[in-house]
Amino acid sequence: MDKKGRKTGVVSEKEIENQREFSEKVSSVLSGIYNETPLACVVTYGCQQNVADSELIKGMLSKMGYGFTENRTEAKLIIFNTCAVREHAEDRVFGNVGRLKTYKRENPDVVIACCGCMMQQQHAADRIKLSFPFVDLVFGTHVVYRLPELLYKALTRKKRIFELPDADGAIAEGIPVLRDNDSRAWLPIMYGCNNFCSYCIVPYVRGRERSREAEDVINEARSLIESGYKEITLLGQNVNSYGKDLIPNVSFAELLERINALPGDFRIRFMTSHPKDCTEELIETMARCGKIAKHLHLPFQSGNNRILKEMNRHYSRERYLELINYAKELMGDSLSVTSDIIVGFPGETYEEFKDTLSLVEEVKFTALFTFIYSPRKGTPAAEMPDPVSAQEKGRWFRELTSLQEKISAENMKKYAGKSFKCFVYGKGKLGDNYLAARTDGNLIIEFEGDENLIGTFQNIKVTEPLTYVLKGETERK
Ligand code: 5AD
Ligand code: SF4
């Protein structure tokens, strides 16, 4: 709180109102320029946090009078919401922005904007400034809520706008959201990260951890459920440390418990968990609460203790296994565990990498997200000697992915004949009459059924495990 009793770290109502006024001003500028609804194209890279930010961006744009298109060459506004986690994601952004040069030359009234994690790095913003002069607006991760004001300036001034403050962004409540899906919703519960894993750029581009007030999160969850959402995924870089900055403290387990108690038939998911902050209490809460999906996404990154130390992860292989075993003990077969792994961290030897393989063998993950280490400027790991060649790391990577393919295939076979309560989320791919449904553990089952089942929970029995999906049928009641 500040001296006048206002909450610090939260965007004031006055400022939100100010942005509403800018939103109306943009609306009238747009109706002065265009006879029909101008279209915006929002291109999103990276993680679910970015997807959630893009939903806010679309919510604000919709209020300003934009419609939406996936086709860049019919858009009057193109926004690239970028990711900085690996070099590959950055290269794609520069490539895709570069391809708009001619379009912008032929359509000078089109506004091109870049935002997101990558822009929050000085070198990337500088490169846009110097090499992509047709980009009109660049804004960082801390000022997304100020889009109406920034867009107003971009539309009315003949000047490029770069708005990239470094300070941790205050939390903005009450921003309109336009969700991509009407049954699954992303619900950010916190922003930023305090962990500084030595390879990771996130703490530099998204600032320190800030939790949303529990009441705000619960109210948003309640209104999502009331409007028919069936799956709510709570988002944060490290959800297990949710609430440590709130007064009074609220633990993540407590937040889950309170959302679980809301009335309605829905499912709660959450990501990402960090093994150093994941507690037995959280696992017990998962096991006890009927509406929490029995799915734990718990990245371990490496199975070797020396590498974990170099990565600044603050847990050991043994502690990781202890958590997984406890979760398996409480949730048995209904538990699904997924993880992230980095292959070829600087200085990692093949012997050390074998510890990652053996951990994968031991846990039997439902799915893995595997990445070859990518040096990120400004992080400690980028300064470490990295003698192993890219080809060699590629071989390790393939060894890991083929091991996981073998494990996934064995896992899939185990599901034959089993029944799952599934959420039917859309049309399937196996044939015209097929629908696709998701189990608690995030497995996909396709089955033949009428389209009016979309958006409902159904009990489905697996009849045939395929490579990546399961085939099933609805159970007779
Ligand atoms: N190189 C490769 N992978 C990375 N990740 C984060 N930073 C890097 C990097 N520099 C991976 C981690 C993280 C996931 C979101 O991305 O596995 O959990
Ligand atoms: Fe990056 Fe580590 Fe924070 Fe995850 S916990 S965002 S890997 S620094």
Side-chain angles (χ1 to χ4, degrees), residues 60 126 300 313 399 417 452:
M60 290 185 275
D126 286 348
F300 71 89
R313 292 287 288 178
E399 193 173 346
N452 64 20

Side-chain angles (χ1 to χ4, degrees), residues 289-318:
C289 294
K291 294 173 191 170
I292 304 180
K294 307 295 174 260
H295 174 202
L296 191 58
H297 180 61
L298 195 61
F300 71 89
Q301 314 295 0
S302 163
N304 176 273
N305 284 337
R306 186 188 78 83
I307 297 295
L308 285 173
K309 204 161 187 182
E310 292 288 304
M311 288 177 163
N312 196 30
R313 292 287 288 178
H314 296 282
Y315 57 85
S316 63
R317 169 194 180 95
E318 292 72 27

Side-chain angles (χ1 to χ4, degrees), residues 15 34 37 43 46 48 51 127 208 211 317 324 424 438:
E15 175 56 18
Y34 305 109
T37 306
V43 186
Q48 260 61 37
V51 173
R127 188 161 158 200
R208 295 297 67 71
S211 304
R317 169 194 180 95
I324 298 289
V424 187
R438 201 181 297 276

Side-chain angles (χ1 to χ4, degrees), residues 134-168:
F134 52 92
V135 172
D136 307 280
L137 167 62
V138 175
F139 58 99
T141 54
H142 302 297
V143 290
V144 173
Y145 71 94
R146 285 177 51 208
L147 179 61
E149 170 194 348
L150 300 172
L151 197 52
Y152 179 73
K153 289 180 179 161
L155 285 164
T156 53
R157 292 185 193 167
K158 294 271 162 279
K159 222 173 92 187
R160 305 175 75 198
I161 295 169
F162 285 78
E163 191 68 30
L164 299 159
D166 235 353
D168 293 348

Side-chain angles (χ1 to χ4, degrees), residues 47-53 55 179 185-192 210-212 217 232-240 242 252 255 268-272:
C47 69
Q48 260 61 37
Q49 186 59 58
N50 260 19
V51 173
D53 280 351
E55 291 185 342
R179 297 184 196 272
W186 308 113
L187 175 44
I189 61 167
M190 61 195 299
Y191 304 94
R210 285 102 62 208
S211 304
R212 289 178 70 191
V217 174
I232 298 177
T233 305
L234 308 179
L235 292 182
Q237 302 299 341
N238 175 11
V239 288
N240 308 107
Y242 170 81
F252 180 56
L255 180 77
I268 311 161
R269 299 183 181 282
F270 56 88
M271 64 199 283
T272 294

Side-chain angles (χ1 to χ4, degrees), residues 147-427:
L147 179 61
E149 170 194 348
L150 300 172
L151 197 52
Y152 179 73
K153 289 180 179 161
L155 285 164
T156 53
R157 292 185 193 167
K158 294 271 162 279
K159 222 173 92 187
R160 305 175 75 198
I161 295 169
F162 285 78
E163 191 68 30
L164 299 159
D166 235 353
D168 293 348
I171 294 179
E173 297 293 348
I175 308 288
V177 188
L178 186 67
R179 297 184 196 272
D180 292 338
N181 189 296
D182 54 15
S183 54
R184 302 181 77 193
W186 308 113
L187 175 44
I189 61 167
M190 61 195 299
Y191 304 94
C193 181
N194 287 355
N195 294 314
F196 291 93
C197 300
S198 62
Y199 50 82
C200 185
I201 195 73
V202 169
Y204 304 87
V205 294
R206 286 212 172 251
R208 295 297 67 71
E209 275 172 18
R210 285 102 62 208
S211 304
R212 289 178 70 191
E213 291 288 338
E215 282 312 314
D216 290 328
V217 174
I218 293 163
N219 287 339
E220 188 168 343
R222 186 183 296 109
S223 87
L224 286 167
I225 297 158
E226 283 169 3
S227 36
Y229 282 87
K230 299 289 181 202
E231 287 208 334
I232 298 177
T233 305
L234 308 179
L235 292 182
Q237 302 299 341
N238 175 11
V239 288
N240 308 107
S241 71
Y242 170 81
K244 288 185 180 160
D245 56 329
L246 294 175
I247 308 169
N249 283 178
V250 182
S251 76
F252 180 56
E254 232 172 297
L255 180 77
L256 280 174
E257 195 107 42
R258 289 176 65 184
I259 299 177
N260 183 71
L262 293 172
D265 193 15
F266 62 93
R267 200 181 249 170
I268 311 161
R269 299 183 181 282
F270 56 88
M271 64 199 283
T272 294
S273 292
H274 192 308
K276 97 177 154 61
D277 297 308
C278 180
T279 56
E280 273 76 5
E281 184 202 1
L282 172 73
I283 294 173
E284 288 154 13
T285 307
M286 261 179 96
R288 187 176 57 243
C289 294
K291 294 173 191 170
I292 304 180
K294 307 295 174 260
H295 174 202
L296 191 58
H297 180 61
L298 195 61
F300 71 89
Q301 314 295 0
S302 163
N304 176 273
N305 284 337
R306 186 188 78 83
I307 297 295
L308 285 173
K309 204 161 187 182
E310 292 288 304
M311 288 177 163
N312 196 30
R313 292 287 288 178
H314 296 282
Y315 57 85
S316 63
R317 169 194 180 95
E318 292 72 27
R319 171 66 183 153
Y320 184 83
L321 288 170
E322 188 176 63
L323 285 167
I324 298 289
N325 290 335
Y326 189 55
K328 284 184 178 170
E329 192 184 309
L330 295 198
M331 289 173 265
D333 269 355
S334 57
L335 178 74
S336 152
V337 189
T338 55
S339 196
D340 294 350
I341 299 177
I342 296 179
V343 175
F345 181 81
E348 184 177 33
T349 64
Y350 183 66
E351 280 306 305
E352 289 167 330
F353 170 67
K354 284 206 304 211
D355 288 338
T356 293
L357 295 175
S358 73
L359 198 147
V360 166
E361 188 93 66
E362 185 166 345
V363 174
K364 308 248 179 305
F365 294 95
T366 312
L368 284 180
F369 301 90
T370 42
F371 309 103
I372 292 186
Y373 168 74
S374 166
R376 305 289 59 216
K377 209 173 172 170
T379 60
E383 306 300 319
M384 297 177 186
D386 190 3
V388 176
S389 70
Q391 284 101 315
E392 183 65 10
K393 290 185 184 185
R395 275 194 287 276
W396 299 2
F397 182 83
R398 286 190 294 280
E399 193 173 346
L400 174 61
T401 48
S402 57
L403 170 64
Q404 180 57 29
E405 269 168 34
K406 196 184 91 203
I407 293 170
S408 297
E410 282 163 16
N411 278 344
M412 292 298 250
K413 276 192 232 143
K414 279 196 304 202
Y415 299 126
K418 293 222 165 97
S419 295
F420 296 91
K421 179 180 173 187
C422 298
F423 177 66
V424 187
Y425 65 89
K427 304 247 323 147

